[in-house]
Amino acid sequence: MAETYSEPEFVPGHHEAEICYGGEADLHKHYTDCKKNPGHVNFIPVNDFNLDHLPSQYRDVIMLELIKALSALTVLIKVKYTSLERPKSVPCFSGQYPCYNIRGSDVLRTGTGWVYHVVKYTESDNKGTCPCGKCQHSDTPSKVWGEVCVRTATHLVFDDSEARQTRCVVGYDNNKSPGVSLDGWRVRVVDIKGDCCEFTCVSCDLELLDELDKMWRHLYDLCWKVRDTIAIFDADYFTVIVSHPHGCPKQVSVGQWTYRHVRRVLTTTKCKYTYTTCTCPGSSGATVYMVGYDGWWSSLAHSGSNSKGNYCGECM
């Protein structure tokens, strides 16, 4: 039976961004030497995930389609700079705030995020030319471009200085499919204590923008279809995470949420959850999908792990 706790009951834990002092060459080594989930047996490659991996009561094609749509919107995040503005400590993490000790460095950090929204601009919008890296070095930068809004954890992408040194990889589903990179641009929303962040990437790849926009709308519709067509079993607390553990190809893990932690801010209630769903370093920022969560669950990003299990940041 899941339980509800007030803020003092939450135990600060440790982040799950992957830090690679040796650059991308470290990622495979971290995967192989992982002590949290040796062998990664509870992670399912996204292309292999099927109905048999779902609990019997949720074994429905609509649920599977929703998880596939969420997977299509999940991105690998690579951050190549650590802001000087990071605080020394915050209540949601034990010890120093993540990466405080490498402020100002170009040490690579990887994590996960997901595409939350897409905004496209034409010449008539007067937004200028595309600020992506390709256009910045072109004599004919595109006047038609767009912003891809990505949600993740604040401890992964902290501010504008980090966002500008960030790349999001769409479609990294296996080692034969390296995916497409998007250039980070700016932070839109940051909640340090709640550990949730929304930042934008920019692109003039109109086909990719249209594809992501279509998939985001499809996911939104599927979320409500699941609520309308599948019985929600409160005792199951079914939870799904799609992430890039250790910066490697996309994986799906399933489990249950076990605790709801409540923090009240004036008239607003902020919640975060603890769950059994498997995560690893590199899973930071992955969206946490809990069936039936308030009808819409888009603000919950995986944050870290503590003595009670894995946990997400607070809803935005």
Side-chain angles (χ1 to χ4, degrees):
M1 183 68 179
E3 301 178 42
T4 300
Y5 287 116
S6 61
E7 183 187 18
E9 297 291 336
F10 177 73
V11 180
H14 302 282
H15 73 91
E16 291 205 312
E18 184 72 275
I19 302 177
C20 307
Y21 291 95
E24 295 195 31
D26 276 356
L27 293 175
H28 180 71
K29 182 178 185 298
H30 289 170
Y31 183 90
T32 302
D33 296 344
C34 177
K35 292 182 172 57
K36 183 178 183 185
N37 292 292
H40 299 89
V41 294
N42 292 314
F43 289 90
I44 303 107
V46 63
N47 291 334
D48 295 339
F49 193 84
N50 57 55
L51 288 173
D52 291 336
H53 293 114
L54 293 170
S56 58
Q57 61 269 45
Y58 295 113
R59 206 163 287 164
D60 186 285
V61 291
I62 295 178
M63 179 66 76
L64 180 62
E65 189 178 358
L66 185 152
I67 294 171
K68 293 290 187 180
L70 175 59
S71 299
L73 293 169
T74 296
V75 298
L76 168 63
I77 297 178
K78 299 179 180 180
V79 189
K80 297 183 179 180
Y81 176 73
T82 302
S83 174
L84 292 168
E85 301 302 318
R86 286 185 172 241
K88 188 171 184 178
S89 63
V90 296
C92 56
F93 290 105
S94 63
Q96 283 189 347
Y97 187 62
C99 304
Y100 177 82
N101 62 319
I102 57 171
R103 292 174 303 154
S105 77
D106 59 359
V107 173
L108 174 67
R109 295 177 283 112
T110 73
T112 306
W114 74 289
V115 175
Y116 174 71
H117 192 46
V118 177
V119 181
K120 291 181 289 184
Y121 303 120
T122 64
E123 288 188 59
S124 62
D125 293 313
N126 296 316
K127 291 291 186 177
T129 58
C130 180
C132 76
K134 175 184 174 183
C135 285
Q136 290 296 303
H137 295 89
S138 171
D139 294 331
T140 56
S142 179
K143 296 179 181 179
V144 181
W145 57 283
E147 292 186 60
V148 178
C149 302
V150 176
R151 286 193 169 175
T152 188
T154 299
H155 75 264
L156 184 62
V157 181
F158 185 79
D159 59 14
D160 284 348
S161 69
E162 293 189 2
R164 293 189 195 101
Q165 297 296 321
T166 293
R167 298 291 179 272
C168 287
V169 184
V170 180
Y172 182 30
D173 294 349
N174 56 65
N175 287 321
K176 295 182 180 179
S177 175
V180 179
S181 289
L182 298 172
D183 296 334
W185 191 28
R186 63 182 180 183
V187 165
R188 289 170 54 116
V189 182
V190 167
D191 179 350
I192 297 175
K193 189 169 185 177
D195 200 30
C196 51
C197 164
E198 182 177 305
F199 72 101
T200 59
C201 295
V202 290
S203 176
C204 52
D205 184 338
L206 301 184
E207 185 176 344
L208 176 62
L209 293 174
D210 287 340
E211 181 182 336
L212 291 173
D213 185 52
K214 181 179 178 181
M215 187 57 68
W216 180 83
R217 295 176 188 278
H218 182 49
L219 176 63
Y220 186 91
D221 290 340
L222 286 169
C223 179
W224 292 105
K225 273 188 180 181
V226 164
R227 283 180 60 83
D228 291 341
T229 60
I230 298 178
I232 306 301
F233 295 85
D234 288 339
D236 298 315
Y237 306 103
F238 181 46
T239 305
V240 180
I241 296 177
V242 184
S243 70
H244 285 276
H246 308 288
C248 293
K250 207 175 292 175
Q251 307 280 317
V252 182
S253 52
V254 298
Q256 299 173 308
W257 68 264
T258 53
Y259 301 98
R260 179 192 287 115
H261 310 274
V262 178
R263 180 168 69 95
R264 291 179 177 83
V265 182
L266 299 177
T267 59
T268 303
T269 298
K270 297 275 191 176
C271 296
K272 65 172 66 180
Y273 292 78
T274 300
Y275 35 82
T276 63
T277 316
C278 280
T279 61
C280 267
S283 295
S284 277
T287 193
V288 181
Y289 171 50
M290 291 175 287
V291 179
Y293 168 74
D294 294 340
W296 188 240
W297 35 269
S298 60
S299 298
L300 298 171
H302 177 64
S303 183
S305 62
N306 59 20
S307 59
K308 293 184 179 295
N310 301 317
Y311 64 89
C312 60
E314 295 173 344
C315 50
M316 279 188 177

PDB file of all heavy atoms in Angstrom, residues 30-58:
ATOM      1  N   HIS A  30      31.307   2.754 -17.977  1.00  0.00           N
ATOM      2  CA  HIS A  30      30.374   2.962 -16.869  1.00  0.00           C
ATOM      3  C   HIS A  30      29.216   1.968 -16.937  1.00  0.00           C
ATOM      4  O   HIS A  30      28.749   1.474 -15.908  1.00  0.00           O
ATOM      5  CB  HIS A  30      29.824   4.397 -16.912  1.00  0.00           C
ATOM      6  CG  HIS A  30      30.850   5.421 -16.535  1.00  0.00           C
ATOM      7  ND1 HIS A  30      30.644   6.764 -16.694  1.00  0.00           N
ATOM      8  CD2 HIS A  30      32.099   5.289 -16.004  1.00  0.00           C
ATOM      9  CE1 HIS A  30      31.716   7.432 -16.274  1.00  0.00           C
ATOM     10  NE2 HIS A  30      32.604   6.553 -15.862  1.00  0.00           N
ATOM     11  N   TYR A  31      28.760   1.691 -18.152  1.00  0.00           N
ATOM     12  CA  TYR A  31      27.669   0.729 -18.329  1.00  0.00           C
ATOM     13  C   TYR A  31      28.110  -0.664 -17.873  1.00  0.00           C
ATOM     14  O   TYR A  31      27.397  -1.355 -17.137  1.00  0.00           O
ATOM     15  CB  TYR A  31      27.243   0.693 -19.800  1.00  0.00           C
ATOM     16  CG  TYR A  31      26.070  -0.209 -20.094  1.00  0.00           C
ATOM     17  CD1 TYR A  31      24.764   0.270 -20.044  1.00  0.00           C
ATOM     18  CD2 TYR A  31      26.270  -1.550 -20.443  1.00  0.00           C
ATOM     19  CE1 TYR A  31      23.680  -0.559 -20.324  1.00  0.00           C
ATOM     20  CE2 TYR A  31      25.193  -2.378 -20.717  1.00  0.00           C
ATOM     21  CZ  TYR A  31      23.911  -1.880 -20.651  1.00  0.00           C
ATOM     22  OH  TYR A  31      22.841  -2.718 -20.921  1.00  0.00           O
ATOM     23  N   THR A  32      29.293  -1.062 -18.296  1.00  0.00           N
ATOM     24  CA  THR A  32      29.810  -2.401 -17.978  1.00  0.00           C
ATOM     25  C   THR A  32      30.115  -2.548 -16.486  1.00  0.00           C
ATOM     26  O   THR A  32      29.853  -3.606 -15.893  1.00  0.00           O
ATOM     27  CB  THR A  32      31.091  -2.676 -18.791  1.00  0.00           C
ATOM     28  OG1 THR A  32      30.798  -2.555 -20.179  1.00  0.00           O
ATOM     29  CG2 THR A  32      31.615  -4.079 -18.511  1.00  0.00           C
ATOM     30  N   ASP A  33      30.630  -1.495 -15.866  1.00  0.00           N
ATOM     31  CA  ASP A  33      31.052  -1.560 -14.465  1.00  0.00           C
ATOM     32  C   ASP A  33      29.951  -1.135 -13.489  1.00  0.00           C
ATOM     33  O   ASP A  33      30.224  -1.011 -12.285  1.00  0.00           O
ATOM     34  CB  ASP A  33      32.276  -0.658 -14.243  1.00  0.00           C
ATOM     35  CG  ASP A  33      33.494  -1.129 -15.026  1.00  0.00           C
ATOM     36  OD1 ASP A  33      33.496  -2.284 -15.476  1.00  0.00           O
ATOM     37  OD2 ASP A  33      34.426  -0.322 -15.209  1.00  0.00           O
ATOM     38  N   CYS A  34      28.735  -0.919 -13.967  1.00  0.00           N
ATOM     39  CA  CYS A  34      27.649  -0.402 -13.132  1.00  0.00           C
ATOM     40  C   CYS A  34      27.422  -1.284 -11.902  1.00  0.00           C
ATOM     41  O   CYS A  34      27.242  -2.492 -12.005  1.00  0.00           O
ATOM     42  CB  CYS A  34      26.364  -0.313 -13.948  1.00  0.00           C
ATOM     43  SG  CYS A  34      24.933   0.236 -13.002  1.00  0.00           S
ATOM     44  N   LYS A  35      27.419  -0.650 -10.725  1.00  0.00           N
ATOM     45  CA  LYS A  35      27.195  -1.384  -9.488  1.00  0.00           C
ATOM     46  C   LYS A  35      25.738  -1.343  -9.047  1.00  0.00           C
ATOM     47  O   LYS A  35      25.297  -2.190  -8.262  1.00  0.00           O
ATOM     48  CB  LYS A  35      28.086  -0.807  -8.372  1.00  0.00           C
ATOM     49  CG  LYS A  35      29.573  -1.054  -8.584  1.00  0.00           C
ATOM     50  CD  LYS A  35      30.388  -0.497  -7.432  1.00  0.00           C
ATOM     51  CE  LYS A  35      31.858  -0.906  -7.516  1.00  0.00           C
ATOM     52  NZ  LYS A  35      32.494  -0.493  -8.767  1.00  0.00           N
ATOM     53  N   LYS A  36      24.973  -0.372  -9.527  1.00  0.00           N
ATOM     54  CA  LYS A  36      23.585  -0.262  -9.101  1.00  0.00           C
ATOM     55  C   LYS A  36      22.724  -1.356  -9.724  1.00  0.00           C
ATOM     56  O   LYS A  36      21.893  -1.973  -9.052  1.00  0.00           O
ATOM     57  CB  LYS A  36      23.021   1.110  -9.469  1.00  0.00           C
ATOM     58  CG  LYS A  36      21.587   1.293  -8.960  1.00  0.00           C
ATOM     59  CD  LYS A  36      21.029   2.664  -9.269  1.00  0.00           C
ATOM     60  CE  LYS A  36      19.621   2.775  -8.667  1.00  0.00           C
ATOM     61  NZ  LYS A  36      18.964   4.057  -9.022  1.00  0.00           N
ATOM     62  N   ASN A  37      22.889  -1.597 -11.018  1.00  0.00           N
ATOM     63  CA  ASN A  37      22.111  -2.621 -11.722  1.00  0.00           C
ATOM     64  C   ASN A  37      23.032  -3.471 -12.598  1.00  0.00           C
ATOM     65  O   ASN A  37      23.020  -3.365 -13.832  1.00  0.00           O
ATOM     66  CB  ASN A  37      21.031  -1.970 -12.609  1.00  0.00           C
ATOM     67  CG  ASN A  37      19.943  -1.295 -11.795  1.00  0.00           C
ATOM     68  OD1 ASN A  37      19.167  -1.943 -11.114  1.00  0.00           O
ATOM     69  ND2 ASN A  37      19.897   0.034 -11.864  1.00  0.00           N
ATOM     70  N   PRO A  38      23.863  -4.318 -11.991  1.00  0.00           N
ATOM     71  CA  PRO A  38      24.797  -5.131 -12.784  1.00  0.00           C
ATOM     72  C   PRO A  38      24.052  -5.959 -13.829  1.00  0.00           C
ATOM     73  O   PRO A  38      23.070  -6.635 -13.522  1.00  0.00           O
ATOM     74  CB  PRO A  38      25.444  -6.043 -11.736  1.00  0.00           C
ATOM     75  CG  PRO A  38      25.294  -5.295 -10.450  1.00  0.00           C
ATOM     76  CD  PRO A  38      23.978  -4.581 -10.543  1.00  0.00           C
ATOM     77  N   GLY A  39      24.492  -5.864 -15.064  1.00  0.00           N
ATOM     78  CA  GLY A  39      23.852  -6.607 -16.149  1.00  0.00           C
ATOM     79  C   GLY A  39      22.621  -5.931 -16.713  1.00  0.00           C
ATOM     80  O   GLY A  39      22.157  -6.288 -17.797  1.00  0.00           O
ATOM     81  N   HIS A  40      22.040  -4.983 -15.984  1.00  0.00           N
ATOM     82  CA  HIS A  40      20.878  -4.204 -16.450  1.00  0.00           C
ATOM     83  C   HIS A  40      19.742  -5.102 -16.946  1.00  0.00           C
ATOM     84  O   HIS A  40      19.100  -4.824 -17.958  1.00  0.00           O
ATOM     85  CB  HIS A  40      21.310  -3.229 -17.557  1.00  0.00           C
ATOM     86  CG  HIS A  40      22.333  -2.232 -17.073  1.00  0.00           C
ATOM     87  ND1 HIS A  40      23.693  -2.476 -17.127  1.00  0.00           N
ATOM     88  CD2 HIS A  40      22.181  -1.007 -16.501  1.00  0.00           C
ATOM     89  CE1 HIS A  40      24.331  -1.434 -16.621  1.00  0.00           C
ATOM     90  NE2 HIS A  40      23.450  -0.535 -16.228  1.00  0.00           N
ATOM     91  N   VAL A  41      19.472  -6.162 -16.204  1.00  0.00           N
ATOM     92  CA  VAL A  41      18.475  -7.135 -16.638  1.00  0.00           C
ATOM     93  C   VAL A  41      17.047  -6.593 -16.605  1.00  0.00           C
ATOM     94  O   VAL A  41      16.165  -7.128 -17.282  1.00  0.00           O
ATOM     95  CB  VAL A  41      18.558  -8.428 -15.786  1.00  0.00           C
ATOM     96  CG1 VAL A  41      19.879  -9.137 -16.021  1.00  0.00           C
ATOM     97  CG2 VAL A  41      18.371  -8.115 -14.306  1.00  0.00           C
ATOM     98  N   ASN A  42      16.811  -5.551 -15.823  1.00  0.00           N
ATOM     99  CA  ASN A  42      15.454  -4.997 -15.732  1.00  0.00           C
ATOM    100  C   ASN A  42      15.228  -3.802 -16.651  1.00  0.00           C
ATOM    101  O   ASN A  42      14.225  -3.105 -16.530  1.00  0.00           O
ATOM    102  CB  ASN A  42      15.148  -4.602 -14.282  1.00  0.00           C
ATOM    103  CG  ASN A  42      15.040  -5.816 -13.387  1.00  0.00           C
ATOM    104  OD1 ASN A  42      14.392  -6.797 -13.737  1.00  0.00           O
ATOM    105  ND2 ASN A  42      15.681  -5.767 -12.225  1.00  0.00           N
ATOM    106  N   PHE A  43      16.167  -3.573 -17.553  1.00  0.00           N
ATOM    107  CA  PHE A  43      16.005  -2.563 -18.592  1.00  0.00           C
ATOM    108  C   PHE A  43      15.724  -3.276 -19.906  1.00  0.00           C
ATOM    109  O   PHE A  43      16.432  -4.222 -20.268  1.00  0.00           O
ATOM    110  CB  PHE A  43      17.265  -1.713 -18.747  1.00  0.00           C
ATOM    111  CG  PHE A  43      17.523  -0.773 -17.596  1.00  0.00           C
ATOM    112  CD1 PHE A  43      18.279  -1.191 -16.503  1.00  0.00           C
ATOM    113  CD2 PHE A  43      17.034   0.513 -17.612  1.00  0.00           C
ATOM    114  CE1 PHE A  43      18.534  -0.332 -15.446  1.00  0.00           C
ATOM    115  CE2 PHE A  43      17.282   1.385 -16.563  1.00  0.00           C
ATOM    116  CZ  PHE A  43      18.020   0.965 -15.476  1.00  0.00           C
ATOM    117  N   ILE A  44      14.694  -2.837 -20.624  1.00  0.00           N
ATOM    118  CA  ILE A  44      14.335  -3.461 -21.898  1.00  0.00           C
ATOM    119  C   ILE A  44      14.641  -2.494 -23.035  1.00  0.00           C
ATOM    120  O   ILE A  44      14.135  -1.357 -23.018  1.00  0.00           O
ATOM    121  CB  ILE A  44      12.846  -3.847 -21.944  1.00  0.00           C
ATOM    122  CG1 ILE A  44      12.490  -4.779 -20.777  1.00  0.00           C
ATOM    123  CG2 ILE A  44      12.497  -4.507 -23.263  1.00  0.00           C
ATOM    124  CD1 ILE A  44      11.679  -4.146 -19.704  1.00  0.00           C
ATOM    125  N   PRO A  45      15.479  -2.887 -24.011  1.00  0.00           N
ATOM    126  CA  PRO A  45      15.721  -2.015 -25.162  1.00  0.00           C
ATOM    127  C   PRO A  45      14.396  -1.597 -25.787  1.00  0.00           C
ATOM    128  O   PRO A  45      13.480  -2.414 -25.934  1.00  0.00           O
ATOM    129  CB  PRO A  45      16.541  -2.900 -26.109  1.00  0.00           C
ATOM    130  CG  PRO A  45      17.225  -3.875 -25.201  1.00  0.00           C
ATOM    131  CD  PRO A  45      16.233  -4.149 -24.100  1.00  0.00           C
ATOM    132  N   VAL A  46      14.277  -0.330 -26.145  1.00  0.00           N
ATOM    133  CA  VAL A  46      12.989   0.205 -26.580  1.00  0.00           C
ATOM    134  C   VAL A  46      12.406  -0.564 -27.759  1.00  0.00           C
ATOM    135  O   VAL A  46      11.186  -0.762 -27.840  1.00  0.00           O
ATOM    136  CB  VAL A  46      13.125   1.714 -26.907  1.00  0.00           C
ATOM    137  CG1 VAL A  46      14.085   1.951 -28.059  1.00  0.00           C
ATOM    138  CG2 VAL A  46      11.772   2.326 -27.178  1.00  0.00           C
ATOM    139  N   ASN A  47      13.243  -1.030 -28.663  1.00  0.00           N
ATOM    140  CA  ASN A  47      12.729  -1.743 -29.836  1.00  0.00           C
ATOM    141  C   ASN A  47      12.242  -3.151 -29.499  1.00  0.00           C
ATOM    142  O   ASN A  47      11.531  -3.770 -30.294  1.00  0.00           O
ATOM    143  CB  ASN A  47      13.797  -1.820 -30.929  1.00  0.00           C
ATOM    144  CG  ASN A  47      14.086  -0.463 -31.542  1.00  0.00           C
ATOM    145  OD1 ASN A  47      13.234   0.428 -31.530  1.00  0.00           O
ATOM    146  ND2 ASN A  47      15.286  -0.282 -32.073  1.00  0.00           N
ATOM    147  N   ASP A  48      12.625  -3.655 -28.321  1.00  0.00           N
ATOM    148  CA  ASP A  48      12.199  -4.997 -27.910  1.00  0.00           C
ATOM    149  C   ASP A  48      10.975  -4.970 -27.003  1.00  0.00           C
ATOM    150  O   ASP A  48      10.369  -6.018 -26.737  1.00  0.00           O
ATOM    151  CB  ASP A  48      13.336  -5.710 -27.153  1.00  0.00           C
ATOM    152  CG  ASP A  48      14.545  -5.973 -28.033  1.00  0.00           C
ATOM    153  OD1 ASP A  48      14.386  -5.984 -29.267  1.00  0.00           O
ATOM    154  OD2 ASP A  48      15.651  -6.147 -27.480  1.00  0.00           O
ATOM    155  N   PHE A  49      10.603  -3.797 -26.513  1.00  0.00           N
ATOM    156  CA  PHE A  49       9.504  -3.706 -25.554  1.00  0.00           C
ATOM    157  C   PHE A  49       8.185  -4.085 -26.213  1.00  0.00           C
ATOM    158  O   PHE A  49       7.842  -3.593 -27.280  1.00  0.00           O
ATOM    159  CB  PHE A  49       9.417  -2.280 -24.997  1.00  0.00           C
ATOM    160  CG  PHE A  49       8.533  -2.174 -23.784  1.00  0.00           C
ATOM    161  CD1 PHE A  49       9.021  -2.469 -22.528  1.00  0.00           C
ATOM    162  CD2 PHE A  49       7.201  -1.811 -23.905  1.00  0.00           C
ATOM    163  CE1 PHE A  49       8.217  -2.390 -21.393  1.00  0.00           C
ATOM    164  CE2 PHE A  49       6.381  -1.719 -22.795  1.00  0.00           C
ATOM    165  CZ  PHE A  49       6.884  -2.007 -21.536  1.00  0.00           C
ATOM    166  N   ASN A  50       7.424  -5.008 -25.555  1.00  0.00           N
ATOM    167  CA  ASN A  50       6.162  -5.468 -26.126  1.00  0.00           C
ATOM    168  C   ASN A  50       5.142  -5.714 -25.024  1.00  0.00           C
ATOM    169  O   ASN A  50       5.414  -5.478 -23.830  1.00  0.00           O
ATOM    170  CB  ASN A  50       6.382  -6.738 -26.964  1.00  0.00           C
ATOM    171  CG  ASN A  50       7.014  -7.857 -26.164  1.00  0.00           C
ATOM    172  OD1 ASN A  50       6.494  -8.262 -25.111  1.00  0.00           O
ATOM    173  ND2 ASN A  50       8.142  -8.384 -26.631  1.00  0.00           N
ATOM    174  N   LEU A  51       3.964  -6.187 -25.394  1.00  0.00           N
ATOM    175  CA  LEU A  51       2.873  -6.394 -24.442  1.00  0.00           C
ATOM    176  C   LEU A  51       3.258  -7.318 -23.288  1.00  0.00           C
ATOM    177  O   LEU A  51       2.778  -7.161 -22.167  1.00  0.00           O
ATOM    178  CB  LEU A  51       1.649  -6.957 -25.166  1.00  0.00           C
ATOM    179  CG  LEU A  51       0.881  -5.985 -26.072  1.00  0.00           C
ATOM    180  CD1 LEU A  51      -0.190  -6.728 -26.857  1.00  0.00           C
ATOM    181  CD2 LEU A  51       0.243  -4.865 -25.239  1.00  0.00           C
ATOM    182  N   ASP A  52       4.121  -8.292 -23.563  1.00  0.00           N
ATOM    183  CA  ASP A  52       4.497  -9.254 -22.521  1.00  0.00           C
ATOM    184  C   ASP A  52       5.257  -8.594 -21.375  1.00  0.00           C
ATOM    185  O   ASP A  52       5.358  -9.159 -20.279  1.00  0.00           O
ATOM    186  CB  ASP A  52       5.358 -10.371 -23.112  1.00  0.00           C
ATOM    187  CG  ASP A  52       4.566 -11.267 -24.053  1.00  0.00           C
ATOM    188  OD1 ASP A  52       3.329 -11.324 -23.902  1.00  0.00           O
ATOM    189  OD2 ASP A  52       5.183 -11.888 -24.941  1.00  0.00           O
ATOM    190  N   HIS A  53       5.810  -7.405 -21.596  1.00  0.00           N
ATOM    191  CA  HIS A  53       6.555  -6.716 -20.545  1.00  0.00           C
ATOM    192  C   HIS A  53       5.642  -5.911 -19.618  1.00  0.00           C
ATOM    193  O   HIS A  53       6.097  -5.381 -18.598  1.00  0.00           O
ATOM    194  CB  HIS A  53       7.587  -5.767 -21.164  1.00  0.00           C
ATOM    195  CG  HIS A  53       8.680  -6.475 -21.893  1.00  0.00           C
ATOM    196  ND1 HIS A  53       8.874  -6.389 -23.259  1.00  0.00           N
ATOM    197  CD2 HIS A  53       9.650  -7.320 -21.446  1.00  0.00           C
ATOM    198  CE1 HIS A  53       9.910  -7.117 -23.616  1.00  0.00           C
ATOM    199  NE2 HIS A  53      10.399  -7.696 -22.530  1.00  0.00           N
ATOM    200  N   LEU A  54       4.351  -5.830 -19.961  1.00  0.00           N
ATOM    201  CA  LEU A  54       3.400  -5.072 -19.156  1.00  0.00           C
ATOM    202  C   LEU A  54       2.703  -5.978 -18.148  1.00  0.00           C
ATOM    203  O   LEU A  54       2.479  -7.166 -18.419  1.00  0.00           O
ATOM    204  CB  LEU A  54       2.338  -4.430 -20.061  1.00  0.00           C
ATOM    205  CG  LEU A  54       2.828  -3.335 -21.011  1.00  0.00           C
ATOM    206  CD1 LEU A  54       1.726  -2.979 -22.008  1.00  0.00           C
ATOM    207  CD2 LEU A  54       3.262  -2.111 -20.228  1.00  0.00           C
ATOM    208  N   PRO A  55       2.331  -5.462 -16.977  1.00  0.00           N
ATOM    209  CA  PRO A  55       1.512  -6.245 -16.040  1.00  0.00           C
ATOM    210  C   PRO A  55       0.223  -6.679 -16.732  1.00  0.00           C
ATOM    211  O   PRO A  55      -0.302  -5.961 -17.598  1.00  0.00           O
ATOM    212  CB  PRO A  55       1.228  -5.246 -14.905  1.00  0.00           C
ATOM    213  CG  PRO A  55       2.311  -4.233 -14.998  1.00  0.00           C
ATOM    214  CD  PRO A  55       2.635  -4.112 -16.451  1.00  0.00           C
ATOM    215  N   SER A  56      -0.303  -7.830 -16.373  1.00  0.00           N
ATOM    216  CA  SER A  56      -1.448  -8.396 -17.094  1.00  0.00           C
ATOM    217  C   SER A  56      -2.635  -7.445 -17.200  1.00  0.00           C
ATOM    218  O   SER A  56      -3.298  -7.367 -18.234  1.00  0.00           O
ATOM    219  CB  SER A  56      -1.882  -9.712 -16.425  1.00  0.00           C
ATOM    220  OG  SER A  56      -2.203  -9.489 -15.058  1.00  0.00           O
ATOM    221  N   GLN A  57      -2.914  -6.691 -16.122  1.00  0.00           N
ATOM    222  CA  GLN A  57      -4.078  -5.808 -16.143  1.00  0.00           C
ATOM    223  C   GLN A  57      -3.899  -4.594 -17.050  1.00  0.00           C
ATOM    224  O   GLN A  57      -4.864  -3.902 -17.366  1.00  0.00           O
ATOM    225  CB  GLN A  57      -4.452  -5.357 -14.731  1.00  0.00           C
ATOM    226  CG  GLN A  57      -3.383  -4.579 -13.990  1.00  0.00           C
ATOM    227  CD  GLN A  57      -2.496  -5.481 -13.183  1.00  0.00           C
ATOM    228  OE1 GLN A  57      -2.050  -6.528 -13.655  1.00  0.00           O
ATOM    229  NE2 GLN A  57      -2.229  -5.094 -11.935  1.00  0.00           N
ATOM    230  N   TYR A  58      -2.644  -4.328 -17.462  1.00  0.00           N
ATOM    231  CA  TYR A  58      -2.381  -3.199 -18.357  1.00  0.00           C
ATOM    232  C   TYR A  58      -1.928  -3.665 -19.737  1.00  0.00           C
ATOM    233  O   TYR A  58      -1.427  -2.862 -20.525  1.00  0.00           O
ATOM    234  CB  TYR A  58      -1.311  -2.297 -17.748  1.00  0.00           C
ATOM    235  CG  TYR A  58      -1.755  -1.643 -16.465  1.00  0.00           C
ATOM    236  CD1 TYR A  58      -1.149  -1.973 -15.253  1.00  0.00           C
ATOM    237  CD2 TYR A  58      -2.787  -0.720 -16.453  1.00  0.00           C
ATOM    238  CE1 TYR A  58      -1.559  -1.383 -14.069  1.00  0.00           C
ATOM    239  CE2 TYR A  58      -3.207  -0.124 -15.278  1.00  0.00           C
ATOM    240  CZ  TYR A  58      -2.601  -0.464 -14.091  1.00  0.00           C
ATOM    241  OH  TYR A  58      -3.017   0.126 -12.921  1.00  0.00           O
TER     242      TYR A  58
END
